[in-house]
């Protein structure tokens, strides 16, 4: 871990000063992070937190992630800070990893939707960090999109999503492009149990390696079960404004690569498919994913076609495919 990261204060620009003032007054502000843009509010004001839910049309059963700038700040929000949290934070904070741990009373039920746990993330985008540091308290921030819709990876995406009604701090295009990995930690005297609640840029293999190098406890990694533990991980999510068809290459070939044949199979009548072209590097593909989905959603297109290829393998691709599966109306 770079020992300076939780000390350094970024020079405060007018846009950051304005954002901090709005947050202090109990407003919501869209802020850049390295994953996606977040819709932030200070955690000490219930009315500010309610504005996040109303702005997004988000149901209250879907809990928010709390963003901090240091391990010290994270510790003020939880009952205990286990060894596994310390190891993972040292390895991956600041960065795209959210740790779910039992909360203490400084986190309201409104933020956690009544759960006994809280999701904690320490973003590395310098503007997000400057905003939280200058505010002097953590912010809750879901992705800055209407509930169920495609997440924003540029300031323009947020402006379009909320029709310019939300103050947006422009921090450029997001470096990672998909939301953070979420992992729930459960530690006993002899074991560390991790449950992957959402796949992301920090992949299970990296977490296992970090833990195995630093702990003698047995490490048990659970993939999420059928019961969705992250309440926001509903089946349909990330949806663009037109349907997405996700199709395996072999199936596409068996339809002679023809949308008319797919139409016959589905009983659909798509005329103007847009083929989602993703970079062969999953890191680059993640960066471009939400912009590409938006570009494809424009007229005259009436369906987005994603062809799943044999090279879409591995843990980083799994994080992208998770988004695409949830965004898809049809999977063949
Ligand atoms: O990269 C990110 O994590 C972005 C940026 C803005 O930081 N934030 C983000 O927040 O993706 P959101 O609200 O769009 O997604 C958070 C997910 C939801 O699926 C929610 O259900 C889950 O995290 N979550 C939050 N707190 C939880 C908890 N205590 N237990 C289980 N799941 C939780
Ligand atoms: Mg979201």
């Amino acid at each position: 871990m770079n020992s300076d990261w939780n000390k350094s204060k970024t020079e405060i620009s007018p846009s950051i000063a304005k954002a901090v003032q709005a947050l202090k007054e109990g407003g919501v502000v869209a802020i850049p992070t390295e994953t996606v843009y977040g819709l932030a509010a200070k955690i000490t004001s219930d009315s500010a937190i309610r504005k996040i839910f109303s702005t997004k049309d988000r149901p209250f059963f879907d809990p928010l992630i709390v963003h901090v700038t240091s391990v010290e700040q994270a510790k003020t929000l939880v009952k205990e800070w286990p060894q596994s949290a310390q190891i993972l934070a040292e390895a991956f904070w600041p960065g795209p990893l959210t740790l779910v741990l039992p909360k203490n009373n400084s986190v309201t039920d409104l933020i956690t939707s009544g759960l006994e746990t809280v999701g904690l993330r320490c973003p590395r985008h310098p503007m997000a960090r400057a905003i939280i540091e200058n505010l002097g308290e953590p912010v809750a921030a879901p992705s800055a999109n209407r509930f169920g819709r495609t997440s924003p990876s540029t300031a323009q995406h947020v402006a379009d999503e909320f029709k310019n009604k939300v103050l947006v701090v422009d921090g450029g295009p997001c470096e990672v492009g998909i939301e953070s990995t979420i992992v729930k930690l459960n530690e006993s005297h002899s074991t560390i149990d991790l449950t992957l609640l959402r796949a992301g840029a920090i992949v299970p293999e990296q977490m296992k390696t970090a833990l195995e190098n630093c702990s003698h406890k047995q490490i048990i990694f659970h993939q999420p079960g059928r019961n969705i533990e992250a309440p926001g991980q509903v089946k349909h999510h990330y949806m663009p404004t037109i349907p997405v068809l996700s199709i395996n290459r072999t199936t596409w070939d068996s339809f002679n690569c023809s949308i008319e044949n797919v139409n016959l199979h589905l009983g659909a009548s798509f005329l103007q498919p847009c083929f989602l072209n993703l970079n062969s590097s999953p890191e680059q593909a993640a960066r471009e994913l939400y912009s590409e989905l938006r570009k494809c959603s424009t007229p005259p297109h009436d369906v987005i076609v994603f062809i799943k290829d044999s090279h879409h393998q591995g843990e980083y691709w799994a994080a992208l495919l998770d988004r695409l599966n949830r965004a898809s109306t049809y999977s063949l």
Side-chain angles (χ1 to χ4, degrees):
M1 180 175 58
N2 171 357
S3 59
D4 287 341
W5 66 262
N6 59 13
K7 291 184 206 136
S8 62
K9 280 209 174 187
T10 308
E11 194 89 344
I12 183 158
S13 66
S15 69
I16 288 175
K18 193 171 164 195
V20 171
Q21 190 54 34
L23 290 167
K24 279 188 180 156
E25 288 166 5
V28 295
V29 179
I31 64 167
T33 84
E34 72 280 15
T35 57
V36 297
Y37 277 70
L39 193 63
K42 61 177 179 178
I43 64 163
T44 50
S45 162
D46 272 5
S47 72
I49 298 294
R50 280 179 198 282
K51 282 183 200 158
I52 293 181
F53 286 94
S54 59
T55 306
K56 274 184 64 97
D57 266 332
R58 179 175 174 120
F60 283 108
F61 66 72
D62 192 3
L64 306 175
I65 293 175
V66 176
H67 295 64
V68 296
T69 52
S70 66
V71 165
E72 271 50 56
Q73 201 170 38
K75 284 181 181 170
T76 66
L77 304 169
V78 292
K79 283 200 174 127
E80 270 177 53
W81 184 252
Q83 185 196 33
S84 51
Q86 184 63 27
I87 294 169
L88 292 174
E90 282 184 15
F92 304 111
W93 279 9
L97 176 66
T98 297
L99 303 176
V100 174
L101 288 164
K103 74 174 189 83
N104 67 22
N105 287 341
S106 54
V107 183
T108 61
D109 285 347
L110 191 57
I111 293 172
T112 66
S113 305
L115 294 177
E116 284 305 311
T117 54
V118 59
L120 297 172
R121 171 158 131 68
C122 180
R124 73 165 170 248
H125 194 297
M127 292 172 90
R129 300 183 60 73
I131 289 166
I132 302 167
E133 278 169 13
N134 285 284
L135 178 66
E137 65 167 285
V139 296
S143 51
N145 51 276
R146 283 170 298 133
F147 184 68
R149 292 295 176 184
T150 308
S151 302
S153 51
T154 68
Q156 191 60 50
H157 293 165
V158 186
D160 294 345
E161 184 79 359
F162 297 113
K163 314 264 180 284
N164 295 312
K165 286 186 186 137
V166 169
L167 176 62
V168 188
V169 178
D170 191 346
C174 298
E175 180 198 338
V176 175
I178 55 171
E179 303 80 352
S180 61
T181 303
I182 306 181
V183 70
K184 187 173 179 180
L185 300 177
N186 228 318
E187 191 167 330
S188 71
H189 66 283
S190 58
T191 60
I192 296 171
D193 274 68
L194 299 99
T195 308
L196 185 67
L197 301 183
R198 181 172 70 188
I202 306 296
V203 299
E205 200 53 43
Q206 285 174 288
M207 289 186 264
K208 273 185 215 160
T209 306
L211 290 166
E212 279 163 5
N213 287 342
C214 301
S215 173
H216 297 300
K217 297 188 183 181
Q218 189 193 356
I219 293 146
I220 306 165
F221 222 104
H222 305 273
Q223 295 293 326
R226 278 176 170 270
N227 295 332
I228 304 163
E229 282 208 55
Q233 289 295 83
V234 286
K235 169 75 185 90
H236 288 298
H237 208 147
Y238 311 111
M239 294 186 86
T241 49
I242 61 172
V244 178
L245 161 68
S246 174
I247 185 165
N248 282 315
R249 169 68 66 189
T250 46
T251 313
W252 178 243
D253 289 347
S254 75
F255 284 117
N256 288 328
C257 309
S258 144
I259 194 71
E260 286 78 16
N261 289 340
V262 173
N263 279 337
L264 286 175
H265 178 78
L266 292 175
S269 52
F270 297 123
L271 296 172
Q272 298 281 357
C274 178
F275 291 89
L276 188 66
N277 251 325
L278 294 180
N279 196 282
S280 58
S281 139
E283 288 83 1
Q284 188 57 26
R287 234 165 261 144
E288 295 166 356
L289 178 67
Y290 294 140
S291 289
E292 290 301 310
L293 283 174
R294 281 184 170 77
K295 270 188 224 158
C296 259
S297 301
T298 51
H301 304 124
D302 55 5
V303 65
I304 300 171
V305 180
F306 170 61
I307 301 175
K308 227 182 295 174
D309 257 311
S310 53
H311 73 268
H312 296 141
Q313 294 282 345
E315 292 186 317
Y316 212 109
W317 272 111
L320 269 89
L321 296 182
D322 170 68
R323 272 63 177 182
L324 283 163
N325 288 337
R326 289 177 205 278
S328 297
T329 311
Y330 307 97
S331 294
L332 294 175

